[in-house]
Amino acid sequence: FPFPYAPYRIQEQFMQALYGALEAGRVGIFESPTGTGKSLSLICGALSWLRDWEEKRRQEEERLLAQDGPSPPRARPDSADTGPVSPTRDPDWVTAFVQNKEERDRVDRLKEEHIRRKKREDSLEKIRHNVQLKYAAKRKRCEEDEAKRLLQLSKEALSQGAGEGVLDQLDHNEDELILAEYESDDEKKVVSGLEEDDDDLEEEHVTKIYYCSRTHSQLSQFVREVQKSPFGKDTRLVSLGSRQNLCVNEEVRRLGALQLINDRCMEMQKNKHEKKSGEENEGKKRRVTRAVCPFYSYEQMQFLRDEVLVEVKDIEQLVSLGRETKACPYYGSRFAIPAAQLVVLPYQMLLHEPTRNAAGIKLKDQVVIIDEAHNLIDTITCIHSAEVSGSQLCCAHSQLSQYMERYRKRLKAKNLMYIKQILYLLERFVAMLGGNVNQNPGCQVLSQTGTVLKSINDFLFQSQTDNINLFKVQRYCEKSLISRKLFGFVERYGGPASAVKINKENQKLAGLQNFLLTLQQGSDKEGDPPVEAEHDQLRAASPLMQIEGFLSALTNANQDGRVILNRQGTVGQSSLKFLLLNPAVHFAKVVEECRAVIIAGGTMQPVADFREQLLCCAGVDPARIVEFSCGHVIPPENILPIILCSGPSNQQLEFTYQTRDLPQMMDETGRILCNLCNVIPGGVVCFFPSYEYEKQVYGHWEQTGLLSRLSAKKKIFQEPKKANQVEQVLVEYAKCIKRCSQTGGQMTGALLLSVVGGKMSEGINFSDDLGRCVIMVGMPYPNIRSPELQEKMTWLDKTMPRAAGQAPSRVLIENLCMKAVNQSIGRAIRHQKDFASILLLDHRYARPAIFNKLPQWIRERTQVKPAFGSAFAELRKVRTHHILCP
């Protein structure tokens, strides 16, 4: 395997196993701990396979083409020479003719593909080496820009003094808020997209690898690894992203919220197509100027596509290129998909079928690699779940009613029919929460509160909406862009800043303004949890966008999900949530269509969840599933994992919900930390099961004086709840450790109190002195009182077989707990020369069922210590060894 440096033995094993899985068309679960060069192993192993596959295919094509076509079909033999022909079997000459025809057709197809591929490769090669060609394209763009600027100046000069036209435009500039005539798919086959790009959409999709990860920063990091690898120069790679990340139109970017950006972009495209057809009918009616996107230029996007394929670029480089070439990176990158060999994209784009189809991603016979996949099941569940509040439902109903009233005379019958259906759905949904859609949701106090779960069919039946075709309503929302129109309407009339003059025509709109103001005031009560700005903006702007997601979720099969009615205090605070129970239904198509699927991560244990809940439920043959787990590159003496069963005062460590609040348990935890902080240099990271428990323990230590004893040795930091404060805490934590190591003295570093499942337990590296010891307090079991979890457990017990005598629901609880533990304790060891201790404070970790769910490389080196004394001695030994042999 080509590699930028001499690979570790485990990297070679990883690449060989990966190559074999791709060659055999398997579904693989691959585990390679962080710090073992997983990304490079994935790149070099997968691209080596792709290079060999392309070479084999090319040789096969050349062999067939070299035959110069098959021999001509034999003439029909003379009837005298033939024996009797069975009535059920074709004569030999017919069979031979058919076989030859198929072979000829295949050769013709190969010839066409060969010519097309050669043409594309020559074109890209020319662009790669011909600087003059790039310069000519750039000069042409500059000339066009200058011509547009002069034309605009001329128009402005002509329009000066023509004031009477301005009034006319103000009267008619509402036209863009009115829904266009809607024809359903039954009546008319709607063909969307550019007229010019038919050839490109039909372009042959070469065999490729789709690589996806969780965040854009992880994808950018992966692309940089590709650039550094031996494949960086000659791999056709394209990075895909959301409009929020790729849009270069500042007017659209300013909208902030993803849904608003999506809808505005779609509307601008629509305006561009309507403008073409509208120019023909210019004289028939007064035209309204509608915004079109200047970056949505087919010629420029073609140029961008070629530039992307010529040289590997990450998202940031793609956006810069888009700005420079005045071409849309979002659509330009999509045009590059058919010819690309490696497509890099976020989870959602691959796992959500409508998004996948819209992007032009074809999975048939392709390879998919899903990295950072430890949360894959949760990710699929979240993507296909949806929640709407009572406030949003009432607000959407009010907005849509006002919209319908204002434009009733301008809307076609089909539009009115669908709007009335949506209004009815909203009304019935609010009624299910126990409220009235026409009253302020913040003032409607509910007599009955609590959480109720219903199947989809029961929910639709009890809300009396089972007679409405939700598939058609969903398609209408998608095609008509009604939520975008409604957002424009509310933008214009929904706030005090844009209040309209009260006259007969728009008197009713004053009610909408007042209603929105009361909603806003109602949601600003003290004690409300902080909401992210984007969600805040969406909720205030166009709640219908959120509701569309809920309607879409209700189209799932009855057995695959549940509707949760969460009734709290008032109708406004209550909510409807769709919970997906069976993520396998949405993953099935991926594993069915793909040649091979690789699910990879640093910590994949326990893998039973992936195998049972995801792959087997998706219909994957167990024989097709392959598992690979490799060790770590660090020497055995560089890691000391200890399961501690009791503390310094011989108090047994068992942090159950019943015992963890006892003062003696919190005291014992404090004593363990005090002892460790005396001997461990640098940073110590201590994980608690929840924010509440961490707060409770901290308060107890303050009262007992343990906190001041800890503070004498380590400066104490607490993980913040707000995501935007995490970076600051980490910077201060790192500075403190560095300062202590340089100056010496009594203070030896810092202690970070973190939370399992919080911001610090995933994606953050505590390498070297930042994490010389990681402590796990108790076992972070999920809250089994949660209605969602209870429903999932019930569903698993009904649908899954018992494993080793255990109920599937019990296995789920243990797996969720150990997944969280493995993610947290894997934060400390990040490279070959790193060293750290890992302490698991609870005797239950020693039980075989739990112990076996630790990652193999940690499990092999773990020591179980019944008493604190022997564990403390081991920790002192590690410290002495690394002081003497740094």
Side-chain angles (χ1 to χ4, degrees), residues 65 103-113:
L65 293 170
E103 214 174 317
R104 274 203 313 280
D105 290 347
R106 189 179 170 210
V107 169
D108 290 344
R109 260 199 321 275
L110 281 174
K111 278 181 180 172
E112 282 175 26
E113 278 176 24

Side-chain angles (χ1 to χ4, degrees), residues 340-365:
Q341 293 165 310
L342 182 57
V343 178
V344 177
L345 69 167
Y347 276 174
Q348 288 83 343
M349 204 172 264
L350 183 104
L351 299 172
H352 189 241
E353 194 179 355
T355 310
R356 196 163 69 227
N357 293 340
I361 293 166
K362 293 180 181 175
L363 296 181
K364 187 75 180 146
D365 297 329

Side-chain angles (χ1 to χ4, degrees), residues 88-123:
T88 57
R89 192 171 66 85
D90 287 328
D92 290 345
W93 69 271
V94 173
T95 310
F97 180 81
V98 170
Q99 282 173 349
N100 278 321
K101 186 174 188 319
E102 283 172 1
E103 214 174 317
R104 274 203 313 280
D105 290 347
R106 189 179 170 210
V107 169
D108 290 344
R109 260 199 321 275
L110 281 174
K111 278 181 180 172
E112 282 175 26
E113 278 176 24
H114 191 73
I115 291 163
R116 203 162 42 214
R117 189 164 56 243
K118 188 83 178 76
K119 192 177 172 185
R120 183 176 59 227
E121 284 169 4
D122 289 349
S123 162

Side-chain angles (χ1 to χ4, degrees), residues 639-660:
I639 182 172
L640 175 63
I642 292 176
I643 294 171
L644 192 58
C645 301
S646 59
S649 63
N650 290 326
Q651 168 75 47
Q652 190 188 41
L653 300 176
E654 185 174 353
F655 293 85
T656 62
Y657 284 116
Q658 290 77 31
T659 61
R660 71 183 192 180

Side-chain angles (χ1 to χ4, degrees), residues 194 197 203 298 301-302 305 331-338:
L194 291 164
D197 67 342
E203 191 180 347
Y298 180 66
M301 288 191 294
Q302 269 189 316
R305 173 199 65 187
Y331 284 102
S333 59
R334 287 176 174 210
F335 289 161
I337 293 172

Side-chain angles (χ1 to χ4, degrees), residues 316-443:
E316 289 76 22
Q317 292 167 322
L318 185 57
V319 169
S320 300
L321 182 66
R323 287 200 176 102
E324 186 195 322
T325 58
K326 292 199 166 42
C328 174
Y330 179 74
Y331 284 102
S333 59
R334 287 176 174 210
F335 289 161
I337 293 172
Q341 293 165 310
L342 182 57
V343 178
V344 177
L345 69 167
Y347 276 174
Q348 288 83 343
M349 204 172 264
L350 183 104
L351 299 172
H352 189 241
E353 194 179 355
T355 310
R356 196 163 69 227
N357 293 340
I361 293 166
K362 293 180 181 175
L363 296 181
K364 187 75 180 146
D365 297 329
Q366 307 292 19
V367 169
V368 163
I369 296 175
I370 301 170
D371 201 2
E372 301 299 332
H374 53 272
N375 280 338
L376 183 60
I377 294 173
D378 291 343
T379 303
I380 298 170
T381 303
C382 288
I383 290 171
H384 297 93
S385 296
E387 186 171 15
V388 286
S389 68
S391 283
Q392 288 174 291
L393 292 165
C394 290
C395 185
H397 188 277
S398 176
Q399 290 178 6
L400 202 52
S401 302
Q402 302 283 355
Y403 178 89
M404 188 175 77
E405 282 303 310
R406 180 162 179 86
Y407 302 121
R408 185 184 284 276
K409 291 174 185 172
R410 304 283 298 276
L411 294 168
K412 301 290 185 214
K414 205 84 180 216
N415 280 316
L416 280 171
M417 180 194 81
Y418 277 111
I419 288 174
K420 283 177 180 173
Q421 282 191 352
I422 296 167
L423 286 170
Y424 176 72
L425 286 167
L426 296 173
E427 186 185 322
R428 296 311 309 158
F429 290 170
V430 172
M432 284 296 282
L433 289 172
N436 184 329
V437 79
N438 295 312
Q439 293 172 18
N440 188 327
C443 301

Side-chain angles (χ1 to χ4, degrees), residues 576-629:
L576 294 174
K577 181 178 180 180
F578 175 80
L579 172 71
L580 181 72
L581 293 175
N582 183 11
V585 291
H586 294 285
F587 196 60
K589 203 155 189 187
V590 176
V591 287
E592 276 168 27
E593 290 193 345
C594 290
R595 172 198 173 85
V597 176
I598 303 296
I599 301 167
T603 311
M604 299 298 285
Q605 289 291 339
V607 295
D609 280 3
F610 297 104
R611 204 175 43 244
E612 307 299 334
Q613 282 187 51
L614 201 59
L615 302 179
C616 292
C617 281
V620 180
D621 181 351
R624 195 185 166 201
I625 301 169
V626 61
E627 290 175 28
F628 175 86
S629 178

